[in-house]
Each structure stands twice: as C-alpha cells, then as structure tokens.
Amino acid sequence: MASFIGLSASQSQFLYRCSLPISSPAFISSSVHLKKQAPVRRLLVLPIKCSSSGPSQDTESEAETTSVPSSSSFSSSLASSNSTYNWRAGIGAVGIIETAYLTYLKLSGSDAFCPLGGGSCGDVLNSDYAFIFGVSLPLLGLIAYGFVTTLSLQLSAKNLPFGINETTGRLLLLGSTTSMATASAYFLYILSTKFAGTSCSYCLVSALLSFSLFFISLKDVGLQEVQKVVGLQVCIASLVFATLSTSYSNLPSAPSSQANIDLPYFTTEITKESSPFALSLARHLHSIGAKMYGAFWCSHCLEQKEMFGREAAKLLDYIECFPDGYKTGTKMIKACADANLEGFPTWVINGQVLSGEMELEKLADVSGFQFNE
C-alpha cells in the first residue's frame, strides 16, 4: 500500500492517507489548496508504505506469538521423551549387571554373596525355582534387561532397526516390561509362600527394577494409548503366569507335614570309643581320599560314625551336605550335588559309590585295607 504526504507551505502539516494499489510511478504530484485560495503550488509528495490494517496485524502478531510456545512445547516434549528413555536404559543396565553376576555364579557353580540374610539367599538362588523349563532364570533376566536397555538407547537416538517407528518402539517396551513385572510379582509370591522367612536381596532388587521399568513405560505411552492395548497387556501377563505355573507344576510337592520344615544345623556327639581296627581303617580311608557324604539330620549317618567311634570318626573325610541347616526348597552344596547322591550316607572310594550304612569290613575290602594287629 502506498501513502502520500502533502506538505502545505503555510501550515507545514503532514497528512497521512492509504491508497489502493496502482501501477503508476512511485512519485506522484498532488495539489493542496490553501485557506486563502492562494495559487496552487506543486509539491513533491513522497510515497510511504503503510503497515497492514489493524485486524490483520493483530492476527499476524497472534500467529507469531502462538508459534513460539508451540516450538517450545515440542522441544520440551522431545526432552521429556529422551529423559524417560535414558532412565530406562540406566535401570536396565543395573539389571544387566545383577543378572550377569548371577549367571556367572550359575555357570561357575560358585555361591552368591548375600549381603542380607546370611546364606539364605543361596537357598533361593540354588532351588528348583531358579530354573524355567531347565533354563537358568538369571540368564532369562539378562536377556530381558538387555532387550529393554538396547531398545531404550535406540529410541533415544531415533535409530530404530527394521523400520520400526517410535510409537511401535514404545509399545514394545511396554509389552516387555509388562512381562517382566508379571514374572517379578509371581516370584515374590513364591518367595513369600515357599521360602517363608528367607531373605533374598537379589530377588527384591530385581523386582524393584522390573516394576520401575513397567511404570516408566506406562507413563511414557500415556493413558489413551494404554487403553487401546490393555487387552494385549492382559494377554501378555496371562501368558507369563501360565508359563511359570506350568514350569513349576512338575516340581515334586512336599508332604503337608514337611511343607514348613525348618531345621537349624546341629551336631551330635559320638560316644563310642574307637577300636584299633577302626582307627587304622579311618587312617587308610583318609590316605586314599575316600569320602563320606552325609546330612546332620540323617540317623544312618550318625550310626555309621558310631561304628567308627569317637576318635576314628574325626579322621574321616566327612562332607556335610547341608552346613547351613535345612529348609523347604534348600539344595545341597555343590560338592554333594556334583556327586549325584541318591541317599545318605554315601561313600565314594576309589571311584566306587556305596550308598547306605556299610560294615567296617566291607569298607576295608572295597578300599583294599589289610589290618595288621
């Protein structure tokens, strides 16, 4: 739009006026009549562009103002998403460290360090509930935490494989963390019922990590999206529950009278005096590396020691299979488990396995001992 300014010689006033668009030259002459009908003087009028009309100007201003919060909101949303992805990656990394440590213990046959509860956590980690269809539970946990961590890092970097978009990636995280939280809830139930009074710090830490990942994924996806896939989430949780129940349904059930058995470790004194033959036989068995496996609560083990007598029994290489006591679900120590024992007591002499109480003469014959009075 062009505006023309007419300058009067007598009044020297500026008159502002907007005109319609025209194709005439920029410089246009205009006449101004003076009050006393003075001769008309031709003045040079300068064109000045007017700003757009009031309503249009307000609209543009509002649009500019609106665009600023929109951009700020997008940046804030993007930062929030990256933050949740990083949180999940960090929590998943902690889970990887824990399950990798427990997997190493399983593969090496070592005992876990239990910061709380003494050796009771080993009773849980070495029980039949530490396997799902023969696969080590820590190994499955390592795979699950690794998947969540990897996918979270890829979402944060906006670099998803196989053409997966961000929405699908979030739903995959929600599904995987749902299965992990369901499994953790199931194992907490097992811990409270099958191992009542037993402390397992690794189990509790893993449950805390799984629940944290689940709630972060739930918040990230949003309530509206969760409502769309709630049926799928229920199916995933039901499938996990059914799989675990089927795996553990094959475990031998303890008699009701022994369901809550809890025996602290104790020792029984041998009262019988050892004979010269028993002393010599015990020294011989020790010299050839013969071993006797037993349990502190086994009456037959006690009777076997009584055959040797007090002094000779101390010379035997006796291995206690439950040095920390016995509770429901407790497993034997590794040395006993590796020997594939079928009962107590069990002798292993020169590679030969003998189960049950043995007469001293039988032990002497198997070990090649000859007594010289």
Side-chain angles (χ1 to χ4, degrees):
M1 303 291 290
S3 174
F4 305 96
I5 303 176
L7 182 61
S8 170
S10 61
Q11 297 179 356
S12 300
Q13 295 178 346
F14 288 95
L15 302 177
Y16 295 89
R17 178 173 52 190
C18 293
S19 64
L20 296 174
I22 57 177
S23 59
S24 60
F27 298 99
I28 302 177
S29 299
S30 174
S31 62
V32 178
H33 296 280
L34 300 179
K35 291 182 178 181
K36 296 182 178 181
Q37 302 294 326
V40 178
R41 295 182 181 182
R42 306 185 70 83
L43 302 176
L44 179 63
V45 181
L46 299 177
I48 299 177
K49 289 187 177 181
C50 270
S51 60
S52 59
S53 60
S56 176
Q57 182 177 4
D58 293 342
T59 304
E60 290 182 2
S61 177
E62 291 177 1
E64 292 177 0
T65 306
T66 306
S67 64
V68 173
S70 176
S71 176
S72 176
S73 175
F74 175 77
S75 301
S76 176
S77 175
L78 182 61
S80 177
S81 298
N82 289 336
S83 177
T84 57
Y85 296 149
N86 293 335
W87 268 106
R88 270 179 292 207
I91 295 174
V94 176
I96 289 176
I97 295 173
E98 181 197 21
T99 51
Y101 169 67
L102 296 178
T103 301
Y104 165 76
L105 296 180
K106 284 289 183 182
L107 296 177
S108 63
S110 305
D111 294 329
F113 168 72
C114 303
L116 299 175
S120 60
C121 69
D123 299 338
V124 180
L125 298 174
N126 295 324
S127 67
D128 293 332
Y129 290 98
F131 297 88
I132 300 178
F133 292 111
V135 181
S136 173
L137 186 59
L139 178 60
L140 296 176
L142 178 61
I143 296 173
Y145 283 118
F147 175 78
V148 170
T149 303
T150 302
L151 186 56
S152 297
L153 291 175
Q154 289 176 332
L155 280 168
S156 179
K158 310 298 181 185
N159 184 24
L160 293 171
F162 311 115
I164 299 175
N165 57 32
E166 186 173 0
T167 301
T168 304
R170 289 181 175 181
L171 293 178
L172 285 175
L173 279 177
L174 180 60
S176 58
T177 54
T178 298
S179 63
M180 296 169 67
T182 303
S184 295
Y186 185 93
F187 288 123
L188 288 178
Y189 167 76
I190 293 295
L191 184 64
S192 62
T193 55
K194 304 296 183 180
F195 300 92
T198 301
S199 174
C200 179
S201 54
Y202 297 102
C203 308
L204 299 178
V205 169
S206 182
L208 177 62
L209 296 177
S210 298
F211 288 136
S212 299
L213 290 172
F214 170 69
F215 286 118
I216 292 176
S217 299
L218 202 63
K219 181 180 180 299
D220 186 37
V221 172
L223 181 60
Q224 293 183 349
E225 290 295 329
V226 170
Q227 290 176 346
K228 296 178 182 179
V229 295
V230 65
L232 179 60
Q233 301 305 109
V234 173
C235 290
I236 292 175
S238 301
L239 180 61
V240 172
F241 181 83
T243 301
L244 295 175
S245 299
T246 303
S247 175
Y248 298 137
S249 63
N250 298 325
L251 295 180
S253 57
S256 57
S257 60
Q258 299 179 358
N260 297 321
I261 189 170
D262 184 359
L263 291 176
Y265 178 77
F266 61 86
T267 58
T268 305
E269 183 181 359
I270 308 299
T271 57
K272 181 182 176 180
E273 186 177 352
S274 300
S275 65
F277 175 75
L279 283 169
S280 298
L281 177 60
R283 293 192 184 96
H284 172 72
L285 292 173
H286 175 76
S287 65
I288 64 174
K291 291 181 174 58
M292 174 186 171
Y293 297 88
F296 67 95
W297 43 262
C298 171
S299 59
H300 297 287
C301 301
L302 178 59
E303 292 173 1
Q304 183 74 86
K305 293 178 181 179
E306 286 283 359
M307 291 183 186
F308 279 91
R310 182 174 56 253
E311 295 79 13
K314 295 178 181 180
L315 300 176
L316 298 174
D317 288 335
Y318 173 74
I319 299 177
E320 172 59 53
C321 294
F322 299 94
D324 297 322
Y326 180 80
K327 295 180 181 180
T328 303
T330 303
K331 281 195 168 185
M332 298 181 290
I333 62 174
K334 184 177 183 299
C336 297
D338 292 344
N340 297 320
L341 307 179
E342 297 181 356
F344 303 110
T346 295
W347 287 91
V348 178
I349 304 174
N350 294 330
Q352 186 175 353
V353 179
L354 304 173
S355 297
E357 295 178 51
M358 295 290 153
E359 295 292 335
L360 299 186
E361 290 75 12
K362 174 69 174 178
L363 295 175
D365 182 57
V366 172
S367 64
F369 172 68
Q370 292 183 354
F371 179 61
N372 186 354
E373 294 182 4

